[in-house]
């Protein structure tokens, strides 16, 4: 299998702290590979590296040079269009503010590359649909960084909900809190609550209608009470708020009720389940004191998994597991929530108008 050549657009905190280190981890060492690392300690041959990070586009040159030195990136550009013109690439990872990354991602698609974008893929549904049109026009795939879909606690919880004895998932409840946020920079639902606009679909399937109310206690201090009706007949309750502390998220809790069964995920970490027909509860918590790949925080929380899946999707010429349609569904739900808050009505997602 030929090594996938990856270009990276962006050099902000999330790129440096989460995605670029996850590229190293997903590829099995430094992005360019370690020539001496050809066998395991037991002498077994290792498979070739699937991906290689060959180019970085970051507008601040000194910043780009530091990142490139640390991650072994051979080519540096201060403009992503220059990178697209000069670097030999198979795909690009774009990690920018949602207001900026649509245009950059479209440039990458128009250059013939598959693209992975940070979540949310856009700031509005209208912009998300513009990105979809570019992907369709170029016959390329777009992956979206919904890393919680790849995180060990949520993967384990979802596997439990799919057991026959769990029963049909019927009630969904989630609580996510964050601190006061910079209102001049982000839309709270879009920039911070987006995972909890995606996870209901991940666990329960398509959403048919939504009704929402909002409480505001000052700039950047909001709370949303959201009710959902799913296509499978199930119901959902979601509490997303930024009222509890400053720039931190102290609480994330999720539960799904089946028929005679339930599963809980506490703080994106601990999984407790009661499955019909089983005597006691199932319990799982990561043993992250152990120095193993599975205990690596980037792996545990899904960053490595999302990167690995996207690169594999390019190599295998398939859609990523979390793709642009998932991103657009989250943007559509965001718009429906905003419409419901404004009108006081229950909103059918199929009837959401992106232009209003």
């Amino acid at each position: 299998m030929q090594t996938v050549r990856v270009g990276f657009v962006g050099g902000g905190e999330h790129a440096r702290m989460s995605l670029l280190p996850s590229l190293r981890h997903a590829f099995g060492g430094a992005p360019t590979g370690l020539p001496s690392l050809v066998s395991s300690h037991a002498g077994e041959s290792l498979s070739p590296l699937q991906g290689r990070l060959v180019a970085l586009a970051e507008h601040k040159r000194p910043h780009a040079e530091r990142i490139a030195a640390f991650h072994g990136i051979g080519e540096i550009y201060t403009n992503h269009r220059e990178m697209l013109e000069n670097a030999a690439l198979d795909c690009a990872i774009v990690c920018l503010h949602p207001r900026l990354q649509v245009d950059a991602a479209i440039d990458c698609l128009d250059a013939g590359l598959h693209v992975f974008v940070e979540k949310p893929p856009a700031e509005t549904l209208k912009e998300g649909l513009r990105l979809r049109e570019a992907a369709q026009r170029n016959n390329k795939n777009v992956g979206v960084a919904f890393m919680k879909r790849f995180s060990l606690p949520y993967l384990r919880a979802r596997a439990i909900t799919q057991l026959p004895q769990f029963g049909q998932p019927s009630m969904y409840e989630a609580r996510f809190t964050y601190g006061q946020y910079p209102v001049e920079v982000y839309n709270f639902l879009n920039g911070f609550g987006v995972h909890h606009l995606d996870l209901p679909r991940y666990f329960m399937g398509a959403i048919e209608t939504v009704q929402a109310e909002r409480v505001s206690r000052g700039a950047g201090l909001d709370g949303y009470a959201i009710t959902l009706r799913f296509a499978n007949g199930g119901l959902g309750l979601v509490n997303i708020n930024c009222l509890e502390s400053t720039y931190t998220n102290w609480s994330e809790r999720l539960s799904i009720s089946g028929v005679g069964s339930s599963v809980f995920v506490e703080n994106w970490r601990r999984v407790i389940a009661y499955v019909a027909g089983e005597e006691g509860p199932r319990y799982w918590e990561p043993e992250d004191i152990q120095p193993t790949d599975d205990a690596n925080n980037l792996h545990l929380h899904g960053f490595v998994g999302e990167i690995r899946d996207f690169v594999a999707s390019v190599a295998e010429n398939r859609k990523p597991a979390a793709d642009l349609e998932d991103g657009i569904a989250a943007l559509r739900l965001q718009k429906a929530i905003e419409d419901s808050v404004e009108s006081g009505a229950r909103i059918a997602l199929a009837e959401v108008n992106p232009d209003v």
Side-chain angles (χ1 to χ4, degrees):
M1 182 183 296
Q2 188 172 353
T3 302
V4 175
R5 297 164 300 184
V6 182
F8 200 101
V9 180
E13 184 178 24
H14 183 65
R16 291 183 290 105
M17 300 300 292
S18 300
L19 295 189
L20 286 163
S22 293
L23 281 164
R24 287 181 96 128
H25 197 69
F27 296 164
T32 52
L34 299 174
S36 61
L37 190 60
V38 296
S39 65
S40 69
H41 289 295
E44 300 167 332
S45 296
L46 298 176
S47 59
L49 298 179
Q50 190 171 46
R52 185 163 63 93
L53 181 56
V54 299
L56 169 70
E58 157 57 37
H59 69 282
K60 292 177 285 189
R61 180 81 189 190
H63 190 52
E65 290 174 350
R66 290 174 66 89
I67 295 171
F70 188 78
H71 290 284
I73 306 171
E75 300 177 37
I76 303 173
Y77 302 92
T78 55
N79 184 290
H80 71 274
R81 294 187 181 91
E82 184 184 358
M83 180 184 78
L84 296 174
E85 290 173 2
N86 292 281
L89 303 173
D90 300 304
C91 64
I93 295 173
V94 180
C95 182
L96 300 172
H97 189 285
R99 197 175 303 148
L100 303 174
Q101 70 179 4
V102 171
D103 285 336
I106 288 174
D107 287 340
C108 294
L109 290 166
D110 287 342
L113 305 182
H114 298 289
V115 177
F116 178 92
V117 294
E118 187 48 53
K119 73 357 166 167
E123 199 167 41
T124 66
L125 176 58
K126 185 177 182 179
E127 285 292 278
L129 294 175
R130 189 165 70 90
L131 181 56
R132 175 206 267 170
E133 193 279 328
Q136 292 174 340
R137 179 176 70 243
N138 291 286
N139 194 28
K140 295 298 177 182
N141 293 321
V142 176
V144 178
F146 285 131
M147 80 284 184
K148 296 198 179 193
R149 289 179 172 233
F150 299 90
S151 69
L152 300 188
Y154 286 134
L155 283 171
R156 186 170 292 263
R158 189 167 186 264
I160 291 171
T161 67
Q162 294 179 323
L163 294 171
Q165 61 269 37
F166 188 84
Q168 187 173 24
S170 300
M171 286 293 299
Y172 176 93
E173 185 175 357
R175 182 179 193 273
F176 171 76
T177 67
Y178 196 84
Q180 187 174 16
Y181 69 99
V183 295
E184 69 280 4
V185 179
Y186 287 102
N187 171 303
F188 175 65
L189 282 176
N190 181 259
F192 296 95
V194 65
H195 284 298
H196 287 275
L197 306 185
D198 173 63
L199 288 173
R201 286 182 62 254
Y202 178 65
F203 280 99
M204 300 285 290
I207 300 168
E208 288 189 340
T209 64
V210 60
Q211 187 157 17
E213 293 190 77
R214 181 182 66 207
V215 58
S216 294
R217 301 300 190 199
L221 294 167
D222 303 315
Y224 291 83
I226 303 163
T227 63
L228 307 170
R229 179 171 288 278
F230 297 94
N232 73 355
L235 300 176
L237 303 169
V238 180
N239 164 0
I240 303 178
N241 78 73
C242 50
L243 292 161
E244 297 189 7
S245 62
T246 304
Y247 298 109
T248 56
N249 56 313
W250 288 105
S251 176
E252 177 168 323
R253 191 172 191 273
L254 184 149
S255 69
I256 301 101
S257 300
V259 180
S261 304
S262 59
V263 62
F264 305 87
V265 184
E266 298 178 347
N267 283 328
W268 195 15
R269 179 178 177 86
R270 183 180 301 109
V271 181
I272 304 170
Y274 300 87
V275 180
E278 297 182 0
E279 290 186 5
R282 298 187 181 201
Y283 181 92
W284 179 86
E285 190 169 358
E287 296 181 3
D288 45 8
I289 196 171
Q290 299 292 327
T292 64
D293 284 346
D294 285 354
N296 180 290
N297 200 47
L298 295 171
H299 182 283
L300 173 66
H301 286 145
F303 296 105
V304 173
E306 66 180 4
I307 294 291
R308 184 177 286 150
D309 175 77
F310 172 69
V311 171
S313 77
V314 175
E316 298 163 10
N317 195 28
R318 62 166 173 83
K319 290 193 344 180
D323 68 2
L324 184 56
E325 293 309 307
D326 298 309
I328 287 174
L331 293 171
R332 187 176 298 277
L333 179 56
Q334 173 195 332
K335 181 68 165 60
I337 291 168
E338 292 167 345
D339 289 350
S340 180
V341 167
E342 183 176 350
S343 67
R346 177 165 288 276
I347 303 295
L349 268 73
E351 299 174 5
V352 170
N353 185 348
D355 295 319
V356 176

